[in-house]
Amino acid sequence: MSVFTKLTLSEMRISLRDPLYAFFTLLFPVLLLVILGNVPTMQEAPPELGGLRVIDLYAGLSLGLAIGIIGLQGLPSVLATYRERGILRRLATTPVHPGTLLGAQLTMNLVIVLLCTILVYTVAIVGFGVPFPKSPLTFLLAVLLNCAGAFSLGLLLSAVASNGKTANAIGTFLFFPLMFFAGLWAPRELMPEVLRRIGDFTPLAAGQDLITDSLLGQSPGLLSITVLVGYLVICGAAAVKLFRWE
Amino acid sequence: MPVIEVEHLAKRYGGTVAVKDVSFAVEPGEIFGILGPNGAGKTTTVECISGLRTADSGAITVLGRPAGDPTLRARIGVQLQESELQDKLTVREALELYSAFYPDPADWRRLADDLGLTPKLKARYGKLSGGQKQRLSIALALLGNPEIAILDELTTGLDPQARRDTWDLISGIRDRGVTLLLVTHFMEEAERLCDRVAVIDKGEVVALDTPAGLVQRAGDEQRISFRPSTPIDDELLTVLPEVRELRRQGQRIEIVGNGNLLHAVVSVLARNGIIAAELTMEQATLDDAFVHLTRGE
């Protein structure tokens, strides 16, 4: 097994030993879906949704919630803490570059998101009749790009925050408006035009739109893809430039 | 040929000079100590040697290569201050994981055993005591079977027993042919372990010698004090070349001198059938030498 695989597995073990992490990334999204799925109005299909029901959107939003929690709250505070506590510095004295640990964290979180996707959509499809994505490839692309946007933003946060607490505070501060624009409190399709336009340029909303596209079998929205790739390139490059190892 | 060669190292952080001018060479197989008061530049010096920081000027060669060369990381083991691990990682997991980083790792079970960590293998890092964390940190520095081990404040936070155990371990590591660079502020540790010591103060090397040599620089003055069983003449002792000064305090006699003072005095007394009761002797220690060398001028 390569060092990278070992580090990734080790990071996954450590993360899942944190009950809050395990709950919010794996259990909470499913729980949210089950609760909302039992609200009768969630079965309605307003004409704005292009044939989808409200609950169909909330399957994607539950997943987006996990991605947002990981990207904006988990990742930045964990990485800033690793720097603050000298874990990256210790690694720098070994043959393994400390960047490998960052890579392991990102990979591990991506795997958790994929597990969460399987859990949420199994329950959604079997329990609440959410349609299986008409274009599975677009769906997978949507999940990956959603992660790319949120994780690169989180990486940038961990680069600029001086410690784990600050990183967590900024992440939480960003989390709520970004989840709002993604449609957690009211679906994007039912939002006033202005809010929807602003939302187009926020990462979790763009990710949510791509998931909706895949459910409807539409070709993925170019704007959403551009926005998410933009976050990946700009935040990713800034994070690489600004990240301090100690 | 030296395994570590530091020549005119200088390093500043913004406007603060951390290291002004440090030079020394460490020979293979020796235990070399860096001693100095807080803020003297000890840690910055070893961080530059470890390749964690780049020197502003000067040259550092480690095992024939410039410090910071990536190939050195498999050949030197470093234990730093304030380097922690993830709270939820167990001791065993940490040892296994870090073993995988090195091309030729040591047997981590033996290392854990040597450092008394075996009963704690299943414990999580966050639940360890300060001393246990420190011992794990030393174990991680030695995992790669390094040719040079750099240990910064290795026994800080250890209880006296654990400190002595660690010293034994360090001696054992040297016997395996590992060169050791120790940063310490414990005189006893330097005296006990180090072959040679560089005393650093305000970013400069103020002395470089064996611990005994450093003590001698502080003056090898000795004081003997005793109560003679029968009254004696001063002259009996002041004629001795080793005796510099003799004072009487009531019934007690205090002698200041150097060289083999104790032997000379006791021999004379014995020849005259006098017993030296309540005999005490004070000698300059590395502590005195240290204070002497780093006292602000």
Side-chain angles (χ1 to χ4, degrees):
Chain A
M1 212 192 305
S2 76
V3 168
F4 181 76
T5 315
K6 279 190 176 152
L7 265 175
T8 306
L9 287 175
S10 167
E11 286 304 300
M12 188 172 294
R13 256 198 314 266
I14 295 169
S15 299
L16 292 176
R17 278 178 192 159
D18 179 354
L20 278 180
Y21 181 90
F23 176 75
F24 277 108
T25 58
L26 293 175
L27 204 59
F28 184 67
V30 176
L31 213 60
L32 183 73
L33 184 74
V34 169
I35 292 167
L36 293 177
N38 283 298
V39 176
T41 51
M42 287 285 159
Q43 306 295 332
E44 290 168 8
E48 292 90 341
L49 301 193
L52 291 177
R53 298 167 305 154
V54 181
I55 189 66
D56 299 337
L57 292 181
Y58 271 96
L61 284 166
S62 303
L63 184 61
L65 190 75
I67 294 173
I69 287 175
I70 290 175
L72 297 170
Q73 299 188 286
L75 196 62
S77 81
V78 165
L79 294 183
T81 305
Y82 281 5
R83 173 178 53 228
E84 191 186 348
R85 298 185 56 187
I87 294 169
L88 299 177
R89 215 160 88 95
R90 184 197 295 278
L91 265 187
T93 70
T94 73
V96 175
H97 190 274
T100 318
L101 186 62
L102 266 58
Q105 259 289 324
L106 290 170
T107 309
M108 173 293 278
N109 280 310
L110 192 64
V111 172
I112 295 289
V113 168
L114 294 177
L115 278 178
C116 181
T117 309
I118 294 170
L119 279 176
V120 164
Y121 275 85
T122 305
V123 172
I125 293 167
V126 174
F128 300 99
V130 172
F132 189 85
K134 283 208 178 83
S135 46
L137 267 181
T138 312
F139 178 76
L140 190 64
L141 179 80
V143 175
L144 291 180
L145 280 178
N146 207 355
C147 287
F151 288 12
S152 52
L153 198 56
L155 208 55
L156 180 59
L157 278 186
S158 71
V160 294
S162 54
N163 58 45
K165 275 202 175 102
T166 313
N168 192 273
I170 307 174
T172 306
F173 183 77
L174 282 175
F175 175 75
F176 289 101
L178 292 186
M179 279 317 296
F180 168 80
F181 284 119
L184 187 63
W185 285 273
R188 274 169 63 62
E189 288 75 0
L190 306 178
M191 278 182 190
E193 180 75 8
V194 182
L195 289 182
R196 214 161 72 208
R197 283 284 153 264
I198 298 174
D200 282 346
F201 296 94
T202 63
L204 292 168
Q208 172 65 14
D209 281 356
L210 285 179
I211 291 179
T212 308
D213 288 341
S214 77
L215 287 190
L216 291 168
Q218 298 169 345
S219 59
L222 260 180
L223 176 64
S224 306
I225 292 181
T226 312
V227 165
L228 288 171
V229 171
Y231 273 98
L232 177 66
V233 171
I234 294 169
C235 294
V240 167
K241 183 112 180 86
L242 297 173
F243 199 88
R244 293 159 292 120
W245 299 105
E246 55 183 272
Chain B
M1 214 185 95
V3 288
I4 300 175
E5 229 176 336
V6 180
E7 282 167 33
H8 303 295
L9 171 70
K11 176 81 188 170
R12 53 166 66 232
Y13 303 119
T16 326
V17 177
V19 176
K20 207 193 288 173
D21 183 9
V22 166
S23 302
F24 60 82
V26 182
E27 298 298 327
E30 77 174 331
I31 302 186
F32 190 92
I34 296 182
L35 209 62
N38 289 335
K42 300 175 302 236
T43 294
T44 302
T45 302
V46 293
E47 282 176 345
C48 289
I49 296 171
S50 311
L52 284 173
R53 296 189 191 285
T54 327
D56 292 341
S57 64
I60 305 175
T61 313
V62 182
L63 297 166
R65 293 179 169 275
D69 184 309
T71 61
L72 287 174
R73 289 201 285 267
R75 300 171 71 191
I76 59 178
V78 184
Q79 185 254 148
L80 300 162
Q81 293 182 78
E82 287 159 22
S83 274
E84 297 189 54
L85 288 169
Q86 295 92 323
D87 275 342
K88 291 181 193 298
L89 194 67
T90 70
V91 172
R92 185 204 171 99
E93 286 166 350
L95 289 166
E96 275 180 337
L97 183 65
Y98 277 69
S99 290
F101 295 172
Y102 294 96
D104 174 32
D107 178 2
W108 63 261
R109 287 164 203 278
R110 251 195 81 187
L111 213 46
D113 219 34
D114 288 345
L115 282 154
L117 287 167
T118 307
K120 287 281 158 194
L121 285 179
K122 284 185 184 151
R124 291 183 182 181
Y125 182 78
K127 303 275 183 204
L128 298 180
S129 71
Q132 288 160 347
K133 286 180 179 173
Q134 189 77 350
R135 278 183 275 151
L136 177 56
S137 193
I138 296 169
L140 294 181
L142 299 174
L143 258 184
N145 264 329
E147 292 163 62
I148 300 173
I150 299 174
L151 307 170
D152 193 356
E153 301 284 2
L154 85 155
T155 60
T156 303
L158 298 189
D159 61 58
Q161 183 58 50
R163 182 171 302 150
R164 277 176 178 73
D165 292 347
T166 308
W167 289 344
D168 288 343
L169 178 87
I170 297 300
S171 306
I173 296 163
R174 187 250 296 271
D175 295 343
R176 282 188 242 161
V178 179
T179 307
L180 285 143
L181 182 62
L182 304 183
V183 176
T184 184
H185 64 259
F186 282 118
M187 303 304 136
E188 200 192 342
E189 187 165 293
E191 215 161 2
R192 174 90 182 253
L193 291 175
C194 296
D195 299 308
R196 289 191 305 142
V197 174
V199 181
I200 295 185
D201 189 31
K202 300 184 187 79
E204 288 180 292
V205 176
V206 290
L208 202 165
D209 209 333
T210 60
L214 288 177
V215 172
Q216 216 147 42
R217 286 183 197 214
D220 66 341
E221 194 180 78
Q222 300 165 32
R223 280 163 205 277
I224 298 174
S225 163
F226 62 94
R227 185 170 53 77
S229 55
T230 51
I232 54 168
D233 283 340
D234 288 3
E235 208 162 293
L236 194 66
L237 295 169
T238 48
V239 295
L240 293 170
E242 288 89 352
V243 174
R244 212 169 56 222
E245 207 185 323
L246 185 147
R247 282 192 293 258
R248 286 181 181 271
Q249 281 179 334
Q251 290 201 314
R252 291 188 75 83
I253 293 177
E254 193 182 276
I255 297 166
V256 180
N258 50 29
N260 218 341
L261 182 67
L262 182 66
H263 180 73
V265 170
V266 172
S267 303
V268 169
L269 294 176
R271 251 181 276 133
N272 292 282
I274 298 163
I275 295 165
E278 295 155 30
L279 178 84
T280 62
M281 178 167 161
E282 275 175 40
Q283 211 164 5
T285 61
L286 198 52
D287 268 314
D288 298 323
F290 181 76
V291 171
H292 175 75
L293 286 165
T294 61
R295 202 167 20 207
E297 292 91 52

